[in-house]
Amino acid sequence: MSTYEAAGVDIEAGERAVALMKDKVARSRRPEVVDDASGFAGLFDASALLRFKRPLLASSTDGVGTKVMIAQQYGKHDTIGIDLVGMVLDDLVVCGAEPLFMTDYIACGKVVPERVAEIVGGIAEGCRLAGAALVGGETAEHPGAMGADEYDLAGAGTGVVEAADMLGPSRVAAGDVVLGLASSGVHSNGYSLVRHVLRGASLSLDAVLPELGRPLGEELLEPTRIYSLDCLELARTVEVHAFAHVTGGGLEGNLSRSLPGHLDALLDRASWTPPAIFGVLAGYGEIAQQDMDRTFNLGVGMVAVVPPESADAAIRLLGGRGLDAWALGEVVPGRGEARYR
């Protein structure tokens, strides 16, 4: 006799996973969240948008790429969800949008309730750090398509910004200061190259390298810094013209997207020292600087472009929030490119 369970889908395990994650999801709740007894949809009270004159909704979707494979190999699943939130909600804040809510999707070969609850707990924690609510999600079991210990996750987020306050290239002016906001490490891009280096150098995730002082797996799974609340507070306190979230494509590629076509950002490589993990990857992988630049954040996870009179106050404000920031470069006439001096 054929049954869904015989096909590899465990409905009871899915229900247990939902029960285990409920308390964790509740920690990300915002006042605007409305309960839906059926659980089929996440509800958000849109009357909260009445405080805006012309609210613009912003949306973003993303995943965490092959970093999930490091989490699976190392057996650590409680922070990969924070990475997901960073990839999704920190894209929203680039235009000045306040993240409101997020949904997630997890596909796995086999539902292990405790593991799913750890993953979702990380997503909920990331949402809390971003000031957003996790209003719903889906966990799908794909036996045969994925191994029992394999999973992937993705998410989508929604935010809002007052039209008159939207940030971006049109506000950037010659003479603006480019501020670098420190990353927490590799974040969530470039992991295909990371894994290539690990294989080529026969490096174990359990290896404690002297440059790092902790297991390589712990270093590579350091969760993505969530910048949303820091950036929103910065924009409320001082004049900000633009942000750029440094993900795939590196610093130059992402900052160029926040520049108008007639201006360049000249960056000073000597203004900061990348975290040790990037030197480890470059050394063991024999990666050229050009490839490092266009693959990794190299210690700069977010960029803020501010007028020169705002720069010192911005650095002090971010430092007071526990986020290292520094003058990374300046905006000059050009062709819409971010480049090193």
Side-chain angles (χ1 to χ4, degrees), residues 185-258:
V186 184
H187 284 186
S188 298
N189 57 281
Y191 275 82
S192 292
L193 181 53
V194 169
R195 293 185 301 106
H196 178 78
V197 171
L198 297 184
R199 288 193 301 270
S202 299
L203 282 172
S204 167
L205 293 178
D206 293 317
V208 179
L209 303 180
E211 301 95 326
L212 304 177
R214 61 173 171 169
L216 183 56
E218 294 286 340
E219 182 71 31
L220 292 174
L221 290 174
E222 180 69 30
T224 301
R225 171 87 192 209
I226 306 292
Y227 297 96
S228 298
L229 294 182
D230 298 315
C231 290
L232 291 173
E233 182 61 24
L234 185 65
R236 279 192 290 263
T237 307
V238 304
E239 184 177 353
V240 175
H241 290 163
F243 290 114
H245 189 199
V246 184
T247 55
L251 179 54
E252 294 167 286
N254 286 283
L255 179 53
S256 295
R257 297 164 61 182
S258 293

Side-chain angles (χ1 to χ4, degrees), residues 129-163:
L129 293 171
L134 181 59
V135 296
E138 174 70 12
T139 301
E141 200 166 26
H142 292 171
M146 305 176 76
D149 293 325
E150 293 179 344
Y151 61 82
D152 196 11
L153 60 157
T158 299
V160 62
V161 59
E162 183 67 68

Side-chain angles (χ1 to χ4, degrees), residues 5-265:
E5 185 174 3
V9 177
D10 190 337
I11 295 176
E12 290 185 359
E15 292 173 345
R16 174 165 166 74
V18 171
L20 288 174
M21 69 179 72
K22 275 188 175 180
D23 288 344
K24 298 178 180 180
V25 172
R27 297 172 195 162
S28 72
R29 189 181 180 94
R30 285 177 54 125
E32 301 93 339
V33 174
V34 177
D35 291 323
D36 170 25
S38 71
F40 281 99
L43 301 178
F44 192 90
D45 186 353
S47 67
L49 304 184
L50 294 175
R51 60 188 170 95
F52 294 86
K53 292 182 180 179
R54 185 187 171 202
L56 300 180
L57 292 179
S59 65
S60 176
T61 186
D62 211 336
V64 295
T66 59
K67 187 171 183 175
V68 296
M69 299 176 73
I70 301 292
Q72 292 158 21
Q73 184 179 348
Y74 198 62
K76 179 176 172 61
H77 314 287
D78 59 338
T79 58
I80 197 72
I82 298 177
D83 292 296
L84 178 64
V85 175
M87 295 297 284
V88 174
L89 297 187
D90 279 343
D91 273 1
L92 296 180
V93 81
V94 168
C95 69
E98 172 193 352
L100 297 175
F101 57 84
M102 182 171 169
T103 56
D104 66 72
Y105 176 80
I106 302 171
C108 56
K110 177 179 176 59
V111 170
V112 178
E114 293 75 15
R115 183 169 62 203
V116 171
E118 284 188 51
I119 297 169
V120 175
I123 300 172
E125 174 63 11
C127 284
R128 186 190 68 79
L129 293 171
L134 181 59
V135 296
E138 174 70 12
T139 301
E141 200 166 26
H142 292 171
M146 305 176 76
D149 293 325
E150 293 179 344
Y151 61 82
D152 196 11
L153 60 157
T158 299
V160 62
V161 59
E162 183 67 68
D165 298 331
M166 188 172 66
L167 305 177
S170 64
R171 292 178 178 258
V172 177
D176 280 354
V177 177
V178 179
L179 301 180
L181 280 59
S183 73
S184 56
V186 184
H187 284 186
S188 298
N189 57 281
Y191 275 82
S192 292
L193 181 53
V194 169
R195 293 185 301 106
H196 178 78
V197 171
L198 297 184
R199 288 193 301 270
S202 299
L203 282 172
S204 167
L205 293 178
D206 293 317
V208 179
L209 303 180
E211 301 95 326
L212 304 177
R214 61 173 171 169
L216 183 56
E218 294 286 340
E219 182 71 31
L220 292 174
L221 290 174
E222 180 69 30
T224 301
R225 171 87 192 209
I226 306 292
Y227 297 96
S228 298
L229 294 182
D230 298 315
C231 290
L232 291 173
E233 182 61 24
L234 185 65
R236 279 192 290 263
T237 307
V238 304
E239 184 177 353
V240 175
H241 290 163
F243 290 114
H245 189 199
V246 184
T247 55
L251 179 54
E252 294 167 286
N254 286 283
L255 179 53
S256 295
R257 297 164 61 182
S258 293
L259 298 172
H262 65 287
L263 295 175
D264 283 0

